[in-house]
Amino acid sequence: VGEIYTLVNGFGGNGAKQYLGDHLRKEVKVELDKVKDDLSDANIYNALNRAFHTCNKNWLISPERLDNQDDALSGASACVALM
C-alpha cells in the first residue's frame, strides 16, 4: 500500500469528525503494517476493521469527548482509500 486517504463526515458536532480525521489514517497504517507481508483482501479488510474499532473505542474515552459537552454526542462516518 502506497498511499492512505481518508474522507470523514461528522454530525452532531465537530468532535468525532476532528478526532477521526486526526487519528484514522495513523491507525490504518499501524494495522496494515502488521500484515504488510500478506496483503490479501481478508488481511486488509481485518486491518481496516481493527483501525476503525480502535478509533471508535479511543474516541469514546478521549478527553476531547469527555471534557466537551458539545461534542459528547457527536459522531462521524469515514471512507478509506488505499492506493
Side-chain angles (χ1 to χ4, degrees), residues 17-71:
K17 176 185 73 165
Q18 184 67 45
Y19 186 88
L20 202 55
D22 291 344
H23 295 90
L24 181 58
R25 187 177 173 278
K26 178 178 65 174
E27 289 298 332
V28 168
K29 181 164 177 18
V30 165
E31 293 300 333
L32 287 173
D33 282 347
K34 293 178 184 177
V35 297
K36 65 183 174 191
D37 293 331
D38 180 14
L39 291 175
S40 66
D41 288 348
N43 281 345
I44 292 171
Y45 172 84
N46 289 327
L48 292 172
N49 196 23
R50 287 191 303 270
F52 272 91
H53 280 281
T54 297
C55 284
N56 185 60
K57 178 186 67 163
N58 290 343
W59 163 246
L60 292 174
I61 61 171
S62 72
E64 294 96 319
R65 178 180 172 270
L66 297 174
D67 295 343
N68 186 340
Q69 192 168 12
D70 291 336
D71 287 332

